[in-house]
Amino acid sequence: MADTITGLYRLFYDGILSRLPEARAVALGQAMLRALPLDRLGAFRLEDPRLSASLGGVPLANPLIFAAMYYDVRILRRLMGLGFGAVTAKTITRHPRPGHPEPNLARVRTPAGPGLVNCNGFQNPGVERFRREITGLPHRVPLIVSVAGETAEDYLALTEALAPLGDLVEFNISSPNTTLVYAWSRRPAELTALLKAAGATSPKPLIVKLSPDFADVNEAEIIPAALEAGVRIVNYGNTRRIEDRRLSQGTGGLSGPEIFPATLANLRRTRARFGDALEIIATGGVDAPDKAVALLREGATAVGCFTGFITRGPMLARRLLEGVRAARSR
Ligand SMILES: Cc1cc2nc3c(=O)[nH]c(=O)nc-3n(C[C@H](O)[C@H](O)[C@H](O)COP(=O)(O)O)c2cc1C
């Protein structure tokens, strides 16, 4: 069954999704995710107590996390049944944002395999509507809510509004597509003050999502500040900023296997420097079991992924977990 679904998805991806203009492929992919009750099929999940993990004290059935990308509650509900140990909702801002104009997503063929470059620009319905929509969403697996803003007050207000509806709260300070968020890594002193205020008030564990473009400042200033503020989880990380003239902004964030070596290197350095004081979600470029295995071996608390879900299909979590389980029993 698992092989059949993987084969069918490959035909669908190679034959249709990868040939349509990106915007139409996204619309079709999301429509199918909403329409098909894939979450009701056991074939997508691998349930085994040996895979269990925990993040900020929240128990996870396994260490795979669906990274921030979707806010549509119907899609979040489906994703919660597709084998991930936790699901992250797309970053939400205080007010609705239309995002950057199209083209805001392009496929990239890299030597490492297929990836994406996006300048989505936080297209989202704003906190009020999102809050209404996810109220009542059953947490079949833990839900991580993701927030971003221009000021410390934005983050605190968003945390107050959304923390009660999530199991953990992720502070996105790292999306390269809007200066408002990306600029936080250039203002570490202000960020430190924000993390201290948030760490003291958030009722749920906080995660700081880091940019792979600011390794020095992350490790010299941001992570120490997070730890001092009592924030013990980092997600390392977001997309890598690159130029791409096909996009409306001329630049965007690269995701997919090309960024995997940096994900591994960032994890290794961070684990060596901060030891067990820190929980690390390693995100970026995971599209095959050996990559998830390598990150967990190097001390990742959990592994995040998104682009691999598009390029490899909805069997991704199960495939990765089969690899993790096999590697652990060797
Ligand atoms: C189209 C698109 C939209 C994304 N939106 C968000 C977002 O709203 N918030 C966020 O923190 N990361 C966002 N990301 C980044 C992913 O969550 C993830 O960190 C990144 O893609 C690297 O992982 P991957 O190589 O497995 O995709 C987005 C990525 C893509 C491709």
Side-chain angles (χ1 to χ4, degrees), residues 67-69 90-91 105 116 118 120 122 146 170 172 175 209 237-239 255-256 259 283-286 304-307:
M69 167 63 201
K90 185 171 180 60
T91 300
L105 181 73
L116 298 170
N118 89 87
N120 175 281
F122 289 145
S146 167
E170 186 162 274
N172 182 358
S175 284
K209 188 166 183 184
N238 219 307
T239 53
S255 59
I259 65 172
T283 305
V286 176
C305 42
F306 165 62
T307 301

Side-chain angles (χ1 to χ4, degrees), residues 117-302:
V117 58
N118 89 87
C119 64
N120 175 281
F122 289 145
Q123 193 257 322
N124 83 92
V127 67
E128 279 318 315
R129 203 178 112 202
F130 179 70
R131 186 162 66 163
R132 278 199 306 279
E133 288 177 358
I134 62 157
T135 300
L137 170 71
H139 292 200
R140 187 170 174 180
V141 302
L143 175 70
I144 303 173
V145 290
S146 167
V147 299
E150 281 171 72
T151 62
E153 291 70 45
D154 284 348
Y155 280 90
L156 297 176
L158 286 159
T159 303
E160 196 184 338
L162 294 181
L165 299 169
D167 298 283
L168 299 105
V169 180
E170 186 162 274
F171 273 27
N172 182 358
I173 56 160
S174 48
S175 284
N177 305 309
T178 56
T179 46
L180 82 142
V181 166
Y182 200 57
W184 278 102
S185 300
R186 299 187 198 277
R187 306 194 314 252
E190 276 178 68
L191 184 62
T192 302
L194 162 61
L195 292 176
K196 286 191 177 150
T201 55
S202 173
K204 299 285 167 65
L206 289 183
I207 304 166
V208 182
K209 188 166 183 184
L210 303 170
S211 166
D213 300 337
F214 293 102
D216 290 352
V217 76
N218 287 338
E219 291 155 39
E221 305 200 51
I222 296 175
I223 298 174
L227 286 170
E228 204 190 317
V231 177
R232 299 174 56 85
I233 317 172
V234 295
N235 183 346
Y236 211 160
N238 219 307
T239 53
R240 174 194 295 165
R241 190 171 202 261
I242 59 164
E243 289 191 1
D244 193 317
R245 290 192 182 169
R246 294 173 296 173
L247 298 177
S248 64
Q249 307 304 297
T251 63
L254 175 67
S255 59
E258 184 74 6
I259 65 172
F260 177 76
T263 306
L264 185 60
N266 291 339
L267 165 68
R268 277 193 182 128
R269 264 194 338 272
T270 309
R271 181 55 82 212
R273 180 154 180 182
F274 297 96
D276 293 338
L278 199 63
E279 298 188 27
I280 307 172
I281 306 169
T283 305
V286 176
D287 62 355
D290 58 318
K291 294 178 185 160
V293 169
L295 293 173
L296 291 167
R297 279 216 176 113
E298 293 292 336
T301 313

